[in-house]
Amino acid sequence: MYLDRFLSGKDRQDLFHNKPAIFIPIPTSLASAEFINEKFHAGMLMKREEVCWSDPSELFSKYQESLEKFKSPLRNLKILMDPYPKLKEVFVNMARIDMEPSTFHLAQLVQHITTVYSQSEKDVLDDVLFLFSKIGLDLSKIEEKEAGVMTPMAQKATINLPKVMELLKESEVFPTKRGQWVSIKDKPMIANSEELEKVFGDLEKHKYHLLKLETKSSLSTRNKNKRGEGIYLLV
C-alpha cells in the first residue's frame, strides 16, 4: 500500500489526525456531469472525526433524509463501510477512526428525532428508547479498567459524558405518558407501579410528567429486571 511504503508511522498518524485525508465519494446522481467518467470520481476529503466505520443501529441511515432536510450537523457524518467494505483494517488501525457513531452522536440523534417527530409516528418512540439504552450502556463503561488502567471505552465515556449531559439536560427529549417530549427542567418522574401512579391522579390536570419507558414492542422483547416499586424523580 502506498501509505505503508512512502510514509512513516508518525507521518501517517499526523496525516489522519491533522488533515482531511479520507476521501468520501459522492453518489453519481449528485455529481456534476463533467466528473462522471471512468478516470475521475467526485467526492470530498473529510477528517477522521467526521467519519466512522459502521452504524450498527442503522438509525443514522434511517433518518438521513430528515437530517439533510433540517440541516442537522449529523448529516455530515459518513459511514465508511459502505464505500470501502474491504478496507476496515486500513481505516480502523491506520487512521484510527471510531468503529461506530459516538455516544454524543447518539444524543444528537435523539435531540433531532424528538424535535422533528411526535411520539405517535411509526417507530419513533421505539427508536428513541433504543438510543437512550445505547447511550446508557456506553456511558456505564466509564469505570472499566484493565490492569488498573482505563479501557478505551472508559476513556471515550469520560470524554462524552459531559457533552451528552449538557445536551440532554437542555433539550425536550424525554417521552411522557401524555405523549409529550419534556426536559429535565419539567421535573419528569419515573413510575414503575401502576398503583402508585394512581396516587398522582389526573396527570393532565396536575401537570405531572411520568416518563414512558416502554412500548408494546419493547415489552414483548425485553428481559424484565425487577426493582423496588416507587415513583422516581429524574434529576
Side-chain angles (χ1 to χ4, degrees), residues 77-112:
L77 180 66
K78 303 302 180 185
I79 307 299
L80 295 187
M81 186 174 70
D82 298 332
Y84 301 113
K86 297 181 180 180
L87 295 180
K88 178 179 179 180
E89 184 176 347
V90 172
F91 288 114
V92 174
N93 296 334
M94 185 180 295
R96 296 189 180 279
I97 67 168
D98 287 334
M99 281 295 297
E100 58 188 69
S102 71
T103 314
F104 184 58
H105 287 141
L106 300 179
Q108 287 180 301
L109 185 56
V110 168
Q111 184 189 48
H112 173 79

Side-chain angles (χ1 to χ4, degrees), residues 121-152:
E121 294 179 77
K122 180 177 171 55
D123 294 336
V124 166
L125 186 55
D126 278 322
D127 291 344
V128 168
L129 293 179
F130 171 81
L131 287 167
F132 270 124
S133 69
K134 182 67 168 68
I135 290 169
L137 179 63
D138 288 352
L139 294 180
S140 70
K141 298 176 182 178
I142 196 167
E143 296 184 356
E144 282 187 351
K145 291 185 178 181
E146 293 179 357
V149 179
M150 293 177 68
T151 65

Side-chain angles (χ1 to χ4, degrees), residues 104-218:
F104 184 58
H105 287 141
L106 300 179
Q108 287 180 301
L109 185 56
V110 168
Q111 184 189 48
H112 173 79
I113 294 172
T114 55
T115 299
V116 174
Y117 298 92
S118 68
Q119 286 185 43
S120 61
E121 294 179 77
K122 180 177 171 55
D123 294 336
V124 166
L125 186 55
D126 278 322
D127 291 344
V128 168
L129 293 179
F130 171 81
L131 287 167
F132 270 124
S133 69
K134 182 67 168 68
I135 290 169
L137 179 63
D138 288 352
L139 294 180
S140 70
K141 298 176 182 178
I142 196 167
E143 296 184 356
E144 282 187 351
K145 291 185 178 181
E146 293 179 357
V149 179
M150 293 177 68
T151 65
M153 291 301 295
Q155 293 174 21
K156 289 181 179 180
T158 301
I159 293 171
N160 282 306
L161 178 60
K163 295 189 293 183
V164 170
M165 292 291 290
E166 184 66 25
L167 176 67
L168 295 184
K169 77 177 183 180
E170 298 295 334
S171 305
E172 295 179 342
V173 295
F174 301 100
T176 73
K177 295 189 175 184
R178 292 163 57 195
Q180 297 175 302
W181 303 112
V182 299
S183 72
I184 292 292
K185 294 178 182 178
D186 295 308
K187 298 181 179 180
M189 297 180 288
I190 297 173
N192 61 356
S193 166
E194 292 184 2
E195 291 300 318
L196 288 175
E197 280 187 42
K198 295 176 182 178
V199 174
F200 285 78
D202 189 331
L203 298 179
E204 185 66 36
K205 178 180 178 180
H206 297 291
K207 304 300 181 184
Y208 294 122
H209 298 294
L210 294 180
L211 295 186
K212 186 170 184 177
L213 304 179
E214 299 170 326
T215 63
K216 289 183 179 180
S217 59
S218 66

